[in-house]
Amino acid sequence: MSSLNAIRAAIRDVQDFPTSGILFKDITPVLASAAHYRSTIHFLADKIAGTGATHIAGIEARGFILAAPVAYKLGLGFIPIRKQGKLPWKTKAASYALEYGEATVEIHEDAIATGQKVALIDDVLATGGTAAAAVKLLSLCGASPVVAVFLLELTSLAGRGNLVGTRIETLISY
Ligand code: AMP
């Protein structure tokens, strides 16, 4: 097992990516280390175990890399929240402003059945716009997340302010 400090130390800061002024938190060195990746999945799963979640919703694209193994580890179903135009069936959509740019995410309108409980996972909580859009999609499907879990939180961007009413768990804060 890797410690959270070791995982934190493996995250690479990339200045001015994808646009000038953004300090991008690159998690690929974490993913490339079997011990760090596996431990990250364990730590994320620990935040969800006991919440009663029946499904994990992951946000494309880096969220998928974390959410799918957590779903597998906990024996839960996986629900993709994808960028516009990627899902084949009938969808519900939500648009939001990113730390850089703007985007729309979608979910299949029948993704969540009555009584199912969803935990949301993404890699980074920055401004919270993405996660807030994902929460909106879940609510359009009749659910509210039992918890939203992130590997990293960029506290200076105050993303929690966009997620009032949602329980938030993060592993590493900057
Ligand atoms: P936000 O909607 O501002 O909370 O942005 C969160 C989403 O954008 C996540 O899916 C991240 O993958 C990505 N993201 C935003 N800012 C950063 C950053 N500084 N470093 C890495 N990823 C980021």
Side-chain angles (χ1 to χ4, degrees):
M1 280 286 282
S2 300
S3 67
L4 278 175
N5 276 341
I7 294 168
R8 181 188 184 108
I11 293 165
R12 175 166 52 198
D13 285 353
V14 183
Q15 190 68 58
D16 297 324
F17 181 88
T19 56
S20 177
I22 301 295
L23 180 63
F24 192 86
K25 296 292 185 184
D26 176 17
I27 65 166
T28 60
V30 175
L31 303 175
S33 156
H36 291 348
Y37 187 22
R38 192 164 190 220
S39 302
T40 298
I41 298 308
H42 279 262
F43 286 129
L44 292 169
D46 280 349
K47 300 288 188 189
I48 292 167
T51 62
T54 59
H55 290 72
I56 305 289
I59 304 176
E60 186 179 5
R62 284 183 295 278
F64 285 2
I65 300 167
L66 302 176
V70 170
Y72 180 82
K73 178 174 168 50
L74 293 174
L76 305 178
F78 176 78
I79 298 169
I81 292 176
R82 299 206 62 182
K83 292 171 181 149
Q84 192 168 35
K86 300 285 188 184
L87 287 169
W89 185 239
K90 295 173 190 169
T91 57
K92 295 188 179 295
S95 296
Y96 61 100
L98 273 175
E99 188 183 0
Y100 40 82
E102 215 183 72
T104 298
V105 283
E106 295 180 338
I107 193 168
H108 274 155
E109 63 178 24
D110 61 354
I112 304 165
T114 309
Q116 293 179 344
K117 292 188 175 175
V118 181
L120 184 67
I121 294 185
D122 202 4
D123 62 335
V124 175
L125 176 61
T127 65
T130 310
V135 170
K136 186 176 170 197
L137 290 180
L138 297 178
S139 77
L140 290 172
C141 293
S144 63
V146 290
V147 65
V149 187
F150 303 88
L151 170 55
L152 305 183
E153 177 178 11
L154 307 178
T155 50
S156 63
L157 296 173
R160 285 173 185 252
N162 269 324
L163 294 168
V164 174
T166 298
R167 180 177 153 200
I168 298 167
E169 298 281 351
T170 59
L171 300 185
I172 297 169
S173 299
Y174 290 92

